[in-house]
Amino acid sequence: MWELILKAGAVVELRPFTLADAGVIVSWISGPAELVTWAGPGFTWPLNGPQLAAYVMESGRRSWMGVGAGGRLVGHASLRLDVGGVTARLGRVLVAPDARGQGYGAALLTRVLTFGFAQLGLERVELGVFSHNSNAVRLYERLGFHLDQVLSDVEQVNGQSWSALQMSLAKADWFLGPDQAEA
Ligand SMILES: CC(C)(COP(=O)(O)OP(=O)(O)OC[C@H]1O[C@@H](n2cnc3c(N)ncnc32)[C@H](O)[C@@H]1OP(=O)(O)O)[C@@H](O)C(=O)NCCC(=O)NCCS
């Protein structure tokens, strides 16, 4: 499986997301529908610094920038920990538009999930993804996420009703991190 999802050698390191990254994130979101695709109802269009400042300060959320070769910023993702600290919600998954389809999404989430399970002691990671976002759904499936529930008609966007898939990954199903895979 790791050969499949990490075949590109798209290497990503994580560093904490800070407000200094806000302009980059704003530049990666092209319009209101993409904003909802990325973050559900979590932000309002136009995305701006004050909204991202509030996001940075959210308690219980860890958010990262994915850094590729030469310091290139290639993505963003976060984990919002539940009160007990054993379950977290993966969210705000975003790859730079000009870096998509090259394996960065898989590499970024591999780092985030490995950190969550190994460093944060998570037992389970959950997420929500719109059902028509096939690139994202395939990515999550390749990483081992299973479908738990379909929530119908959760958002109205451009006069269309969007449904969301709730997916999850148990620690027991997360069998290797990238470092072990390369060993
Ligand atoms: C969804 C998203 C994060 C995926 O990121 P990505 O970097 O394109 O993901 P990957 O490159 O790892 O995988 C995407 C595709 O590229 C393919 N790919 C992987 N390595 C590749 C390589 N070296 N060369 C070409 N293609 C490659 C994958 O096989 C996959 O194709 P498939 O879906 O047909 O199987 C990205 O499209 C995005 O940011 N979308 C907008 C925001 C969004 O939808 N976020 C999710 C919210 S839930």
Side-chain angles (χ1 to χ4, degrees):
M1 179 175 180
W2 292 103
E3 284 183 7
L4 184 67
I5 65 172
L6 298 175
K7 64 186 175 187
V11 176
V12 175
E13 300 293 335
L14 300 181
R15 70 153 171 79
F17 170 70
T18 74
L19 203 49
D21 301 309
V24 173
I25 297 292
V26 167
S27 76
W28 289 349
I29 303 291
S30 62
E34 177 141 338
L35 182 62
V36 178
T37 299
W38 174 52
F43 298 111
T44 54
W45 181 259
L47 184 62
N48 54 29
Q51 292 184 70
L52 289 167
Y55 167 65
V56 168
M57 298 299 292
E58 270 180 44
S59 71
R61 191 187 287 275
R62 301 284 298 262
S63 52
W64 298 273
M65 295 300 290
V67 184
R72 177 189 180 198
L73 294 178
V74 294
H76 174 87
S78 74
L79 285 173
R80 195 183 72 216
L81 278 64
D82 73 0
V83 176
V86 293
T87 302
R89 194 159 178 90
L90 174 65
R92 312 294 196 256
V93 175
L94 184 64
V95 167
D98 63 357
R100 292 177 191 168
Q102 300 167 45
Y104 284 111
L108 169 72
L109 294 187
T110 296
R111 289 283 184 208
V112 169
L113 292 167
T114 299
F115 184 85
F117 288 125
Q119 306 296 319
L120 298 178
L122 298 175
E123 291 295 329
R124 179 182 163 89
V125 174
E126 302 173 343
L127 63 82
V129 56
F130 291 109
S131 53
H132 61 278
N133 190 357
S134 50
N135 286 340
V137 172
R138 279 199 303 270
L139 174 58
Y140 299 140
E141 286 175 341
R142 284 203 310 277
L143 290 163
F145 281 85
H146 297 289
L147 175 65
D148 292 323
Q149 195 181 4
V150 180
L151 302 178
S152 298
D153 305 329
V154 287
E155 292 289 336
Q156 295 291 320
V157 180
N158 294 335
Q160 291 192 319
S161 212
W162 287 10
S163 297
L165 310 183
Q166 302 301 301
M167 306 180 81
S168 64
L169 174 65
K171 181 179 182 177
D173 294 330
W174 181 252
F175 46 93
L176 280 177
D179 297 334
Q180 293 92 324
E182 286 159 12

